[in-house]
Amino acid sequence: MHAAAVVITIVAALIFSYLYVIRPWHLHWGASHLDRIAALPGDALSPFSSAAVTHAVNIDAPAEAVWRWVVQIGQDRAGFYSYSFLESLVGCEMRNAFRIVPEWQQRAIGDTVRFAAPKRFGGRARMIAAVVEPMHSLVLATPSDWELIRTGKEGLDTTWAFVLQRKGANTTRLIARLRSAANVTLWERIANFLFWEPAHFIMERKMLLTMKKLAEANPQVTLSAA
């Protein structure tokens, strides 16, 4: 077999492996078939989404303990419990706080959840809390979609949902679902495929596992001052 044929065979095998093994795994890491097809809070806000990513993790702690960590997310709060050095590397100025802070325990519909310091990226790195159901769900929408949603219209951009399902007195299933924008260009699809999907998986997996660790270590956590 010629060297060129060997290279082509290897490349084809790698592409096949990524498309049919690796990519399906990281798009639905931790999620069961039922998780993937379930209608979750926030889905109806962006019914024409071009794609959805669903990740999930079981946490040996009550929903109340898990919610305390979920509600604190945001660059101006506890961060996103992920790789803050990578987030800061692109200018987000991210810091994670691995403690419960009373001032961060309230979220209201319409609140801004920042992904970077306000002075960065023209202040555009943010989403809006479109659904806030304590101990059950937090759904974020883009500012442009929020303007549509608040007037009763359907969104066309990205939503990011965190849903807590009670599986017993002391067990919670935390599901994270990212729904992509409805109308994406070919180049946006390529960028999602090559970069944003793997990057989202790496960061969100770390986020969910960190919240699992924190909630299980403090199932009856006591609020402390910042």
Side-chain angles (χ1 to χ4, degrees):
M1 182 178 292
H2 296 298
V6 172
V7 171
I8 291 173
T9 301
I10 292 174
V11 170
L14 291 174
I15 293 174
F16 180 89
S17 297
Y18 183 76
L19 288 177
Y20 295 102
V21 179
I22 299 173
R23 183 169 181 264
W25 170 75
H26 77 63
L27 287 180
H28 307 295
W29 173 82
S32 67
H33 176 69
L34 292 179
D35 293 330
R36 292 167 55 183
I37 66 174
L40 298 180
D43 286 358
L45 300 181
S46 57
F48 307 112
S49 173
S50 60
V53 178
T54 304
H55 297 146
V57 65
N58 283 334
I59 301 176
D60 294 325
E64 291 79 3
V66 180
W67 176 257
R68 291 170 179 148
W69 299 102
V70 173
V71 76
Q72 292 193 152
I73 63 171
Q75 185 274 340
D76 55 344
R77 292 193 174 194
F80 291 90
Y81 315 116
S82 192
Y83 299 107
S84 58
F85 71 94
L86 291 177
E87 295 161 325
S88 294
L89 191 64
V90 296
C92 294
E93 299 184 14
M94 193 69 66
R95 294 180 300 276
N96 291 324
F98 302 112
R99 68 187 187 284
I100 298 299
V101 178
E103 293 86 345
W104 297 340
Q105 286 298 297
Q106 299 298 320
R107 274 287 184 206
I109 291 176
D111 280 0
T112 293
V113 178
R114 295 199 174 277
F115 289 77
K119 64 183 179 181
R120 306 294 297 182
F121 312 111
R124 293 187 297 273
R126 61 192 181 95
M127 296 185 83
I128 306 298
V131 176
V132 181
E133 299 176 317
M135 272 61 76
H136 179 54
S137 61
L138 173 65
V139 182
L140 309 181
T142 61
S144 60
D145 263 6
W146 175 240
E147 295 304 316
L148 296 175
I149 293 166
R150 66 191 302 190
T151 59
K153 298 178 182 178
E154 296 169 330
L156 297 171
D157 209 339
T158 302
T159 58
W160 195 17
F162 299 90
V163 180
L164 286 68
Q165 297 178 343
R166 296 179 187 270
K167 296 299 181 181
N170 296 300
T171 303
T172 304
R173 188 157 181 79
L174 176 58
I175 303 175
R177 175 172 290 170
L178 183 78
R179 290 174 64 82
S180 302
N183 303 310
V184 294
T185 66
L186 174 61
W187 293 114
E188 288 172 331
R189 289 182 183 275
I190 293 172
N192 287 339
F193 181 82
L194 295 178
F195 178 75
W196 292 114
E197 287 179 357
H200 177 72
F201 162 67
I202 291 169
M203 301 303 288
E204 187 167 85
R205 177 180 179 276
K206 174 63 173 177
M207 178 187 191
L208 295 180
L209 290 177
T210 300
M211 285 197 284
K212 171 181 170 68
K213 179 180 178 180
L214 291 168
E216 290 180 347
N218 301 278
Q220 304 297 329
V221 66
T222 301
L223 301 185
S224 62

